[in-house]
Amino acid sequence: MTSHIDIDPAILYFGTPVALLSTLNEDGTTNLMPMSSVFWLGRTAVLGVGASSQTARNLRDRPEIVINLPSVDLVGQVDRLALTTGSAQLSPAKAARGYAFVADKYARAGLTPYGSETVLPTSVAECPVHLEGRVSSVHDLGAPKLVAVEVGVTAVRVAPELRLDGHPHRIDPDRWRPLMMSFQHFYGLGDRVHPSSLASIDEELYR
Ligand SMILES: Cc1cc2nc3c(=O)[nH]c(=O)nc-3n(C[C@H](O)[C@H](O)[C@H](O)COP(=O)(O)O)c2cc1C
């Protein structure tokens, strides 16, 4: 017996990290899309993306991407990209919600393009984590038009200060301060709350 009640929320955004997706426009410029429906399994990232976004179109035609992860201090720059699209033809739904076409998302956000190593879209210099990758498949999730994009990560580049002392290929989770989104609002992470039994497994065993 619980005192739980049935509710019918319009969204189920219970809290995920924010990412800025870099993809290549037809004219060779890079589009930036703020998003937060992302998770990782091994070296694969899975991204939930609106099928009519410029990002989805770019990924179908030019399947290279950088998943830039902003730290919490970049929230102002990320928020300046909200309600923008790189698509010149605004869908009626986006127009009704107050979206505007923005050709240069870097200028809009006050962010700096940075040459990527293994893909053509530029990375976001200010983001401490750049995950470069190639799309391996796109799955239709049905209505409302959403796709799940599978990305094989080809390069991981991080700000050096994020690394765990004595482990050049590991991230120190106490130094990584991701920007999080929960029910359309921005949050940061708090401190560690409990010792982790899973963390007793050597990370290298996951290779
Ligand atoms: C913080 C934040 C998180 C978002 N998360 C997602 C998401 O996970 N998936 C998605 O399709 N759109 C998400 N959006 C909305 C997209 O950014 C929006 O559809 C945008 O117009 C897409 O850009 P594009 O058309 O230039 O690709 C999010 C927006 C913000 C500001």
Side-chain angles (χ1 to χ4, degrees):
M1 286 284 282
T2 75
S3 57
H4 292 56
I5 55 167
D6 286 320
I7 65 168
D8 181 21
I11 55 174
L12 298 172
Y13 301 164
F14 281 96
T16 44
V18 173
L20 292 177
L21 303 185
S22 297
T23 58
L24 208 61
N25 292 317
E26 200 173 11
D27 65 1
T29 59
T30 293
N31 186 50
L32 291 180
M33 170 190 177
M35 59 88 71
S36 59
S37 303
V38 55
F39 64 88
W40 292 267
L41 288 166
R43 298 282 291 197
T44 299
V46 182
L47 312 168
V49 176
S52 62
S53 64
Q54 182 66 21
T55 298
R57 201 167 307 125
N58 286 348
L59 287 174
R60 269 189 226 103
D61 295 346
R62 292 164 291 280
E64 296 190 342
I65 190 167
V66 184
I67 305 169
N68 304 276
L69 300 182
S71 48
V72 71
D73 52 298
L74 292 173
V75 63
Q77 289 90 325
V78 170
D79 195 47
R80 283 200 280 276
L81 293 175
L83 306 183
T84 69
T85 174
S87 177
Q89 269 92 47
L90 236 71
S91 69
K94 275 195 170 162
R97 290 176 189 161
Y99 276 76
F101 166 59
V102 173
D104 187 345
K105 302 275 192 81
Y106 280 99
R108 167 66 167 241
L111 294 168
T112 317
Y114 182 84
S116 304
E117 251 168 35
T118 62
V119 295
L120 286 173
T122 54
S123 302
V124 177
E126 288 82 357
C127 288
V129 178
H130 302 157
L131 304 172
E132 300 178 6
R134 284 192 66 82
V135 173
S136 50
S137 56
V138 178
H139 306 270
D140 194 350
L141 293 183
K145 295 280 278 176
L146 290 169
V147 290
V149 181
E150 267 182 66
V151 173
V153 174
T154 51
V156 179
R157 302 194 309 170
V158 301
E161 60 271 18
L162 289 189
R163 290 178 304 171
L164 187 66
D165 291 340
H167 297 273
H169 297 290
R170 286 178 62 176
I171 299 291
D172 183 345
D174 285 329
R175 293 180 179 162
W176 168 225
R177 299 286 92 197
L179 176 63
M180 307 295 292
M181 208 197 73
S182 176
F183 289 95
Q184 303 194 89
H185 291 280
F186 293 113
Y187 290 86
L189 287 185
D191 295 331
R192 281 189 200 187
V193 294
H194 195 276
S196 167
S197 302
L198 191 65
S200 67
I201 300 171
D202 184 352
E203 258 189 48
E204 292 304 315
L205 293 175
Y206 291 100
R207 278 194 194 279

